[in-house]
Amino acid sequence: MRLRALLDTDALGLRLLGGEDELDRTVRGVMTTDLRDPSRYLSGGELVLTGLAWRRDAEDSEAFVRTLAQAGVVAVASGTAELGYVPEDLVTACARHRLPLFSVHESVSFATITEHVVRQVSGERAGDLAAVVDRHRRMMTSGPAGGGPDVVLDLLGSDLDLRAWVLSPTGRLIAGSKTTGPVLPADICAKLAAEHLAAARTGRRGPHRLALGSTTYSLFPVRSSGRSPQASRDVRETVLSDWLLAVEADAGDWPEERLDLLQGVTQLIAVERDRRDAARTVRRRLAQEVLELVQTGAAPAEIAARLRVAAPVLLPGLGAAPHWQVVVARVEWDGGDIEGGAVAQSLLEEILVDPLSTGPEPSDRIAVAHTGEEAIALVPLPAVSTEHDGSETGVLADVLLESVRDPLAAGLDDDGRVTLGVSAAVHSAEGLRGALEEARHARRVAAARPGRVCAAGHQELASHVLLLPFVPDDVRRAFTARLLDPLRDYDRRHRAELIPTLEAFLDCDGSWTRCATRLHLHVNTLRYRVGRIEQLTSRDLSRLEDKLDFFLALRMS
């Protein structure tokens, strides 16, 4: 606002004592002080209100005014309650430093002036920001992204002094203003995400407010730019994938204009969200193609060729991925009227992003398909290594669970479940079918556990070995006889070596090439033997459950 506008407001009780030529200066803030040297608290552009308690004699006015002028203050307003008038030495000092001077009638409080200036300045800033946001929205909608959500968050910080962040539904930091200071701690992000999801499930209108300690946050949903809040048939279809805008402020007493502005900001962020989702179309199609090849029993060479196409898209600049992992997810709602496959797909695309990364894209290097009620992710690993303590790197089920459990449980409320299964890393296309079955079996292990969000990894599938000594002898004998006696009988009669073949096949993780090499057989001979094993036992060695049963039987025999 301009200084001139202050004189036009009779309720402020201001009278101009000098500086008429400077009334077009812009006021950017207001400060009340009676310090002799308030420079450390000034940033420029302020109207300074003073009651003159700093003045002891006439010389004090020159030092006080000189300090204000050097700090970039635009004007001084002096109260008359202390002396009953504005001293002439202050008028002279202000004229010397070309600083406009007002007197404030004793019936008007400094609080009244402060409130008026702050309201006017904030309103003008909001209007300026709204224009910038609108322009930025048009740019992003019609062409390439204009810097992503970080740009508009910077505007919120610089123009409205609002610290704001964009978070995923699991609490991952997607964007934040450069003016927001330190990164929002992970535990705070998780609590904000949980509150957002819980509020969305209850149908409460945003913004939702949450007090954490002495700080209040206001949470604004970020919905698809083409979808109104009522457009979705059921909130459960999107609650686990919508972003949120978290603002460090209490929006409960905001005027409608500011609320409208923040809604505009969420719409702008939604444009970036839609852009990111569109970019995932290619990765989804690649995952679907690979999955269909794996499930239909395509030749490993054909699967490997498709993976060579996928790797540069998922790992740009790194060439082919030496290892792959498979993660399977299932989202189930009570009643069964919500298709869980697409929901699980969006969820996996979010939670498999590196939780330490920021931004919408930097670690978006996974391909997720969905079939029926489950989603399946192909996760390329540039390298798989073992840490000093012997633990494997890559996607770990317990780490994955810890990072998403609390927020997702809030979004699932009391009528939904998420179960996750993680395979071991495989180094070739030949191992992908086994990895898929392994991840599916791990997910079923997770589904047998209590809780709204559960996960299991391939490491847990071997824990049954610890239980074998406690299985009663008669149960062990019955179990092994049912599976292995037909093979032993056949070996005795035909010297076919089906039992050694089965042991080698399981030890090679179902790899036809490695197993044939180990046994010095042609692959066709190996396939004949495995086919005979399946025929005699009525089992399928491509299924993880049957492999596991044979493994147990061999261990207990």
Side-chain angles (χ1 to χ4, degrees):
M1 65 178 299
R2 304 289 183 182
L3 281 174
R4 192 179 304 280
L6 295 174
L7 289 175
D8 296 335
T9 307
D10 295 337
L12 297 183
L14 296 178
R15 184 166 63 92
L16 184 65
L17 300 180
E20 186 175 359
D21 294 339
E22 307 295 335
L23 291 181
D24 287 326
R25 292 183 179 186
T26 300
V27 180
R28 299 189 179 277
V30 62
M31 177 187 178
T32 300
T33 184
D34 276 317
L35 295 174
R36 292 192 177 195
D37 182 2
S39 57
R40 73 185 73 177
Y41 305 111
L42 297 169
S43 58
E46 295 93 348
L47 167 66
V48 169
L49 308 176
T50 179
L52 303 179
W54 47 266
R55 184 179 180 277
R56 296 291 180 269
D57 52 46
E59 286 74 18
D60 291 339
S61 293
E62 170 62 26
F64 180 76
V65 173
R66 182 172 61 250
T67 298
L68 300 186
Q70 291 172 349
V73 168
V74 297
V76 178
S78 172
T80 58
E82 182 77 14
L83 301 178
Y85 61 95
V86 177
E88 189 62 32
D89 47 87
L90 180 60
V91 177
T92 302
C94 286
R96 182 179 298 115
H97 292 280
R98 301 179 63 83
L99 199 60
L101 175 63
F102 301 93
S103 67
V104 182
H105 194 275
E106 61 182 10
S107 63
V108 178
S109 69
F110 284 174
T112 299
I113 300 174
T114 299
E115 181 181 354
H116 176 83
V117 172
V118 169
R119 185 167 59 248
Q120 293 298 317
V121 170
S122 295
E124 290 181 7
R125 284 183 179 177
D128 293 343
L129 180 58
V132 174
V133 167
D134 185 62
R135 182 172 67 252
H136 199 62
R137 181 190 298 114
R138 290 197 301 270
M139 291 172 59
M140 292 181 67
T141 304
S142 60
D150 303 77
V151 174
V152 73
L153 296 186
D154 284 340
L155 290 171
L156 287 176
S158 61
D159 285 28
L160 291 184
D161 298 324
L162 290 177
R163 288 158 49 89
W165 303 265
V166 178
L167 304 177
S168 78
T170 60
R172 183 175 67 88
L173 182 64
I174 293 171
S177 166
K178 298 182 180 67
T179 62
T180 57
V183 174
L184 205 60
D187 61 328
I188 299 296
C189 290
K191 290 176 181 176
L192 295 177
E195 172 64 19
H196 162 70
L197 292 176
R201 285 306 312 277
T202 61
R204 284 189 282 143
R205 292 185 58 189
H208 317 303
R209 289 173 289 159
L210 177 64
L212 296 176
S214 60
T215 304
T216 298
Y217 297 90
S218 297
L219 311 177
F220 296 80
V222 177
R223 298 186 174 91
S224 170
S225 60
R227 175 169 59 86
S228 67
Q230 292 78 30
S232 176
R233 180 169 55 88
D234 193 308
V235 68
R236 293 177 295 179
E237 295 177 359
T238 58
V239 68
L240 300 183
S241 58
D242 280 344
W243 288 357
L244 67 141
L245 174 67
V247 181
E248 189 182 274
D250 188 344
D253 56 356
W254 280 6
E256 285 297 325
E257 293 79 6
R258 178 166 287 203
L259 289 173
D260 289 344
L261 172 62
L262 266 292
Q263 294 296 343
V265 170
T266 64
Q267 293 169 14
L268 179 57
I269 295 169
V271 173
E272 184 66 24
R273 169 67 189 270
D274 291 346
R275 194 183 305 279
R276 187 213 55 175
D277 285 345
R280 283 179 168 170
T281 302
V282 174
R283 291 190 286 274
R284 288 177 172 181
R285 186 171 65 248
L286 288 172
Q288 196 70 45
E289 292 173 355
V290 172
L291 179 62
E292 289 175 359
L293 291 174
V294 170
Q295 294 193 124
T296 56
E302 186 177 357
I303 299 174
R306 179 55 55 189
L307 288 177
R308 283 194 294 272
V309 173
V313 176
L314 303 179
L315 291 171
L318 296 181
H323 295 87
W324 297 86
Q325 272 183 287
V326 176
V327 180
V328 172
R330 193 178 182 99
V331 177
E332 298 170 290
W333 303 100
D334 291 352
D337 55 340
I338 302 295
E339 294 185 3
V343 178
Q345 181 183 47
S346 297
L347 182 60
L348 270 188
E349 287 173 334
E350 167 54 41
I351 67 178
L352 289 177
V353 175
D354 182 357
L356 298 180
S357 69
T358 58
E361 288 292 337
S363 295
D364 204 354
R365 292 174 171 177
I366 42 98
V368 186
H370 75 84
T371 173
E373 292 300 308
E374 74 178 1
I376 301 166
L378 293 176
V379 183
L381 305 175
V384 173
S385 61
T386 300
E387 303 290 355
H388 297 304
D389 60 359
S391 61
E392 184 182 307
T393 60
V395 179
L396 303 177
D398 54 347
V399 176
L400 192 63
L401 179 62
E402 185 65 25
S403 66
V404 303
R405 179 170 45 206
D406 291 344
L408 289 185
L412 294 164
D413 199 13
D414 60 355
D415 63 345
R417 286 201 80 197
V418 170
T419 50
L420 304 160
V422 182
S423 79
V426 294
H427 68 281
S428 67
E430 205 169 31
L432 271 182
R433 186 173 183 183
L436 175 58
E437 289 300 321
E438 187 175 60
R440 280 174 166 163
H441 191 65
R443 191 207 64 78
R444 287 192 286 270
V445 170
R449 297 171 175 169
R452 289 290 167 191
V453 186
C454 298
H458 63 93
Q459 303 93 333
E460 299 176 65
L461 301 185
S463 61
H464 52 263
V465 177
L466 302 175
L467 304 177
L468 294 184
F470 302 97
V471 178
D473 288 342
D474 56 343
V475 175
R476 291 157 64 99
R477 283 192 296 269
F479 183 79
T480 58
R482 186 168 64 252
L483 278 178
L484 301 183
D485 279 1
L487 306 182
R488 288 173 178 146
D489 291 341
Y490 191 88
D491 281 349
R492 274 196 304 270
R493 287 184 284 111
H494 300 282
R495 297 181 181 179
E497 298 187 332
L498 294 185
I499 291 291
T501 299
L502 175 61
E503 291 176 329
F505 187 74
L506 294 177
D507 194 47
C508 292
D509 298 324
S511 169
W512 298 100
T513 303
R514 284 190 288 139
C515 185
T517 301
R518 176 180 294 190
L519 296 176
H520 305 290
L521 298 174
H522 192 278
V523 172
N524 288 342
T525 303
L526 175 62
R527 291 185 183 277
Y528 172 82
R529 289 188 181 181
V530 170
R532 178 63 66 185
I533 292 170
E534 293 175 333
Q535 182 183 28
L536 291 170
T537 60
S538 299
R539 298 298 185 106
D540 181 0
L541 276 169
S542 67
R543 297 180 70 249
L544 184 63
E545 292 93 330
D546 290 341
K547 288 180 183 176
L548 185 58
D549 283 348
F550 279 123
F551 176 79
L552 287 170
L554 290 169
R555 283 297 183 96
M556 289 190 293
S557 63

